[in-house]
Amino acid sequence: MAAIVLGLFTRGVNTFPLLAAAPMLAAPVLSLQGTIATGVVGIVIGELEVAARSGGAFLTHPVQLVTVVALTALAAVLNRLMARYRQQLKDTREVAEAVQLAVLPTPPDRIGPLAVAVRYEAAMREAAIGGDLYAIHATPHGVRLMIADVRGKGMGAVRTVNGLLGSFHEAATRVPDLPDVVGRLEERMQELNAESAEGAESFATAAVIEITGDGSVLYLSNLGHCAPLLVHQGRARPLDPADPTLPLGLGDLGRIRVPVEQHPLPPGATLVLFTDGVLEARDRHGVFYDPVPHLSRPLPSDPAAILDTLLADLARHTGGRLDDDAALLAVTHRRDACDDAAAQSTNRTSEGG
């Protein structure tokens, strides 16, 4: 367009550089057909410009003509190479996401008094396996769940994820006290650092939670992780820790005790946990995403629906491009579980009478 305006409505301005560069500029953003069409349009504009100025033809300037044709051909090759690279990156990213999901356990939709949902979104600019993880288990001590984010990517992160998942499964089912569960995770993280072939120490932010058997109370230990959100009655409230503590793997730097905080989990309330890929997502102006305003409105008491609406809003904020992986876990205190518990209590009272 600039070449058309300059060529047809100005005098003494050489538009050949614009015409020659046009197909190269089109190659990264247009299809192959669009790139070639841009070169053809450049030749046509050159014809019109020369005809308007001197009555000659662009074809009578062989150097210019050959230059535009050669650059168009080069732009076509570049377009194909870039398209192939984008497809390879997409395929590799999909493989990385599939491997990540294969490593992570798939929880049932319902565990005791809780409805459960998980989601995982891979970063658009990365093709490496990330260190985001989640797990949830029904145990004799209540429902225990964890979400964590291991520093780094690649096979080292996968090794750490596997180690933490195994340690959490064992500790969650066998250890009665939540601080001791966190202690087992800290020990395992220290062992993984000692066994690291690279010699580099890693760490993992984590939120470890225990929900009582009736689903009414949760106990939370936050180790440098994003604050979970409690979504209830049109309001999303961050459960910020009163006493921030160090991530897993850094306990030897000064963690004296593992803080555990207690919060109510009313019927119909949903606890939403996520890794920092959510909070560090930015829009085109560099503004970080905040999930609290979007979740502070009437929402269904369904963890899957809440996560889906959160991810849809996140995609709108970022234009569909995440800079870091995002793992999400949500549990809802089922209303029907409360009704079942009340009915069982009534039946026991009637039988006793």
Short mmCIF file of all heavy atoms in Angstrom, two decimals, residues 144-175:
data_model
loop_
_atom_site.label_atom_id
_atom_site.label_comp_id
_atom_site.label_asym_id
_atom_site.label_seq_id
_atom_site.Cartn_x
_atom_site.Cartn_y
_atom_site.Cartn_z
N ARG A 144 -6.43 -35.77 51.14
CA ARG A 144 -5.21 -34.98 51.09
C ARG A 144 -4.83 -34.68 49.65
O ARG A 144 -4.90 -35.57 48.80
CB ARG A 144 -4.07 -35.71 51.82
CG ARG A 144 -4.25 -35.68 53.34
CD ARG A 144 -3.22 -36.48 54.08
NE ARG A 144 -3.24 -36.16 55.52
CZ ARG A 144 -2.53 -36.81 56.44
NH1 ARG A 144 -1.73 -37.80 56.07
NH2 ARG A 144 -2.61 -36.46 57.70
N LEU A 145 -4.46 -33.46 49.42
CA LEU A 145 -4.12 -33.04 48.06
C LEU A 145 -2.91 -32.13 48.07
O LEU A 145 -2.61 -31.49 49.09
CB LEU A 145 -5.31 -32.35 47.38
CG LEU A 145 -5.97 -31.18 48.09
CD1 LEU A 145 -6.48 -30.17 47.06
CD2 LEU A 145 -7.16 -31.67 48.93
N MET A 146 -2.27 -32.07 46.93
CA MET A 146 -1.06 -31.25 46.80
C MET A 146 -1.00 -30.70 45.38
O MET A 146 -1.38 -31.36 44.42
CB MET A 146 0.19 -32.09 47.06
CG MET A 146 1.49 -31.34 46.77
SD MET A 146 2.99 -32.34 47.08
CE MET A 146 2.89 -33.55 45.77
N ILE A 147 -0.54 -29.47 45.30
CA ILE A 147 -0.16 -28.91 44.00
C ILE A 147 1.22 -28.30 44.19
O ILE A 147 1.52 -27.72 45.25
CB ILE A 147 -1.18 -27.88 43.49
CG1 ILE A 147 -0.89 -27.50 42.03
CG2 ILE A 147 -1.22 -26.64 44.38
CD1 ILE A 147 -2.04 -26.82 41.33
N ALA A 148 2.09 -28.46 43.20
CA ALA A 148 3.47 -27.98 43.35
C ALA A 148 4.03 -27.59 42.00
O ALA A 148 3.51 -27.99 40.95
CB ALA A 148 4.34 -29.06 44.00
N ASP A 149 5.09 -26.82 42.04
CA ASP A 149 5.76 -26.36 40.83
C ASP A 149 7.27 -26.46 41.05
O ASP A 149 7.84 -25.71 41.84
CB ASP A 149 5.36 -24.91 40.53
CG ASP A 149 5.86 -24.44 39.17
OD1 ASP A 149 6.57 -25.21 38.49
OD2 ASP A 149 5.54 -23.31 38.78
N VAL A 150 7.88 -27.43 40.38
CA VAL A 150 9.32 -27.66 40.49
C VAL A 150 10.05 -26.69 39.58
O VAL A 150 9.66 -26.47 38.43
CB VAL A 150 9.67 -29.11 40.10
CG1 VAL A 150 11.18 -29.34 40.15
CG2 VAL A 150 8.95 -30.09 41.02
N ARG A 151 11.12 -26.12 40.09
CA ARG A 151 11.92 -25.20 39.27
C ARG A 151 12.54 -25.96 38.10
O ARG A 151 13.08 -27.06 38.25
CB ARG A 151 13.04 -24.58 40.10
CG ARG A 151 13.81 -23.50 39.33
CD ARG A 151 15.04 -23.07 40.09
NE ARG A 151 16.06 -24.12 40.15
CZ ARG A 151 17.31 -23.92 40.57
NH1 ARG A 151 17.67 -22.74 41.00
NH2 ARG A 151 18.17 -24.91 40.59
N GLY A 152 12.47 -25.35 36.92
CA GLY A 152 13.13 -25.91 35.74
C GLY A 152 12.19 -26.76 34.89
O GLY A 152 11.02 -26.95 35.20
N LYS A 153 12.76 -27.25 33.80
CA LYS A 153 12.03 -28.08 32.84
C LYS A 153 12.93 -29.23 32.39
O LYS A 153 14.11 -29.28 32.72
CB LYS A 153 11.58 -27.26 31.63
CG LYS A 153 10.45 -26.28 31.92
CD LYS A 153 10.03 -25.56 30.67
CE LYS A 153 8.84 -24.65 30.93
NZ LYS A 153 7.62 -25.41 31.19
N GLY A 154 12.35 -30.13 31.62
CA GLY A 154 13.13 -31.23 31.07
C GLY A 154 13.11 -32.45 31.96
O GLY A 154 12.32 -32.57 32.90
N MET A 155 14.03 -33.39 31.68
CA MET A 155 14.03 -34.67 32.37
C MET A 155 14.36 -34.54 33.86
O MET A 155 13.88 -35.32 34.68
CB MET A 155 15.02 -35.62 31.70
CG MET A 155 14.62 -35.99 30.27
SD MET A 155 12.90 -36.53 30.13
CE MET A 155 12.91 -37.98 31.19
N GLY A 156 15.16 -33.54 34.22
CA GLY A 156 15.43 -33.33 35.63
C GLY A 156 14.17 -32.97 36.39
O GLY A 156 13.94 -33.45 37.51
N ALA A 157 13.33 -32.12 35.79
CA ALA A 157 12.07 -31.75 36.43
C ALA A 157 11.13 -32.95 36.51
O ALA A 157 10.45 -33.14 37.52
CB ALA A 157 11.41 -30.61 35.65
N VAL A 158 11.12 -33.78 35.47
CA VAL A 158 10.26 -34.97 35.49
C VAL A 158 10.69 -35.92 36.59
O VAL A 158 9.85 -36.50 37.30
CB VAL A 158 10.31 -35.68 34.12
CG1 VAL A 158 9.58 -37.02 34.18
CG2 VAL A 158 9.68 -34.81 33.05
N ARG A 159 11.97 -36.08 36.76
CA ARG A 159 12.49 -36.95 37.83
C ARG A 159 12.05 -36.43 39.19
O ARG A 159 11.63 -37.22 40.07
CB ARG A 159 14.01 -37.00 37.73
CG ARG A 159 14.70 -37.81 38.82
CD ARG A 159 16.18 -37.94 38.48
NE ARG A 159 16.94 -38.41 39.65
CZ ARG A 159 17.45 -37.60 40.57
NH1 ARG A 159 17.28 -36.29 40.47
NH2 ARG A 159 18.12 -38.09 41.59
N THR A 160 12.12 -35.13 39.40
CA THR A 160 11.70 -34.56 40.67
C THR A 160 10.20 -34.70 40.86
O THR A 160 9.72 -35.01 41.97
CB THR A 160 12.10 -33.08 40.75
OG1 THR A 160 13.51 -32.96 40.55
CG2 THR A 160 11.73 -32.48 42.09
N VAL A 161 9.43 -34.48 39.80
CA VAL A 161 7.98 -34.65 39.88
C VAL A 161 7.62 -36.07 40.29
O VAL A 161 6.79 -36.30 41.18
CB VAL A 161 7.32 -34.29 38.52
CG1 VAL A 161 5.87 -34.77 38.48
CG2 VAL A 161 7.39 -32.79 38.28
N ASN A 162 8.24 -37.05 39.66
CA ASN A 162 7.97 -38.45 40.00
C ASN A 162 8.33 -38.74 41.46
O ASN A 162 7.59 -39.44 42.17
CB ASN A 162 8.76 -39.38 39.09
CG ASN A 162 8.06 -39.61 37.76
OD1 ASN A 162 6.83 -39.62 37.70
ND2 ASN A 162 8.83 -39.78 36.71
N GLY A 163 9.47 -38.20 41.91
CA GLY A 163 9.88 -38.43 43.28
C GLY A 163 8.91 -37.83 44.28
O GLY A 163 8.55 -38.46 45.28
N LEU A 164 8.43 -36.60 44.02
CA LEU A 164 7.49 -35.96 44.93
C LEU A 164 6.13 -36.64 44.92
O LEU A 164 5.48 -36.78 45.96
CB LEU A 164 7.35 -34.48 44.57
CG LEU A 164 8.56 -33.59 44.87
CD1 LEU A 164 8.29 -32.16 44.41
CD2 LEU A 164 8.89 -33.60 46.36
N LEU A 165 5.68 -37.07 43.73
CA LEU A 165 4.39 -37.76 43.65
C LEU A 165 4.42 -39.07 44.45
O LEU A 165 3.48 -39.38 45.19
CB LEU A 165 4.03 -38.04 42.19
CG LEU A 165 3.58 -36.84 41.36
CD1 LEU A 165 3.39 -37.24 39.90
CD2 LEU A 165 2.29 -36.24 41.91
N GLY A 166 5.50 -39.83 44.29
CA GLY A 166 5.62 -41.08 45.03
C GLY A 166 5.69 -40.86 46.53
O GLY A 166 5.05 -41.56 47.32
N SER A 167 6.46 -39.86 46.94
CA SER A 167 6.60 -39.57 48.36
C SER A 167 5.28 -39.08 48.95
O SER A 167 4.91 -39.45 50.07
CB SER A 167 7.69 -38.52 48.56
OG SER A 167 7.88 -38.24 49.93
N PHE A 168 4.55 -38.25 48.20
CA PHE A 168 3.28 -37.74 48.70
C PHE A 168 2.26 -38.88 48.84
O PHE A 168 1.53 -38.94 49.83
CB PHE A 168 2.73 -36.67 47.77
CG PHE A 168 1.39 -36.14 48.20
CD1 PHE A 168 1.28 -35.33 49.32
CD2 PHE A 168 0.24 -36.45 47.49
CE1 PHE A 168 0.04 -34.84 49.74
CE2 PHE A 168 -1.00 -35.97 47.90
CZ PHE A 168 -1.10 -35.17 49.02
N HIS A 169 2.22 -39.77 47.87
CA HIS A 169 1.27 -40.89 47.94
C HIS A 169 1.53 -41.73 49.18
O HIS A 169 0.60 -42.09 49.91
CB HIS A 169 1.38 -41.75 46.69
CG HIS A 169 0.55 -43.00 46.75
ND1 HIS A 169 -0.82 -42.96 46.66
CD2 HIS A 169 0.89 -44.30 46.92
CE1 HIS A 169 -1.30 -44.20 46.76
NE2 HIS A 169 -0.28 -45.02 46.92
N GLU A 170 2.78 -42.02 49.44
CA GLU A 170 3.12 -42.85 50.59
C GLU A 170 2.84 -42.13 51.90
O GLU A 170 2.22 -42.69 52.83
CB GLU A 170 4.59 -43.26 50.52
CG GLU A 170 5.04 -44.12 51.69
CD GLU A 170 6.50 -44.51 51.61
OE1 GLU A 170 7.18 -44.01 50.69
OE2 GLU A 170 6.95 -45.29 52.47
N ALA A 171 3.28 -40.87 51.99
CA ALA A 171 3.12 -40.13 53.24
C ALA A 171 1.65 -39.79 53.51
O ALA A 171 1.19 -39.85 54.65
CB ALA A 171 3.95 -38.86 53.20
N ALA A 172 0.91 -39.43 52.46
CA ALA A 172 -0.48 -39.03 52.64
C ALA A 172 -1.33 -40.15 53.20
O ALA A 172 -2.25 -39.92 54.00
CB ALA A 172 -1.06 -38.53 51.33
N THR A 173 -1.04 -41.37 52.81
CA THR A 173 -1.85 -42.50 53.26
C THR A 173 -1.39 -43.09 54.59
O THR A 173 -2.17 -43.77 55.26
CB THR A 173 -1.84 -43.60 52.19
OG1 THR A 173 -0.48 -43.97 51.89
CG2 THR A 173 -2.51 -43.12 50.91
N ARG A 174 -0.15 -42.82 54.98
CA ARG A 174 0.40 -43.48 56.17
C ARG A 174 0.69 -42.55 57.34
O ARG A 174 0.71 -43.00 58.48
CB ARG A 174 1.68 -44.22 55.80
CG ARG A 174 1.48 -45.33 54.79
CD ARG A 174 2.78 -46.07 54.53
NE ARG A 174 2.62 -47.14 53.55
CZ ARG A 174 3.58 -47.96 53.17
NH1 ARG A 174 4.81 -47.83 53.68
NH2 ARG A 174 3.36 -48.90 52.27
N VAL A 175 0.95 -41.29 57.06
CA VAL A 175 1.38 -40.37 58.12
C VAL A 175 0.16 -39.62 58.66
O VAL A 175 -0.57 -38.98 57.89
CB VAL A 175 2.43 -39.38 57.59
CG1 VAL A 175 2.83 -38.39 58.67
CG2 VAL A 175 3.65 -40.13 57.07
#
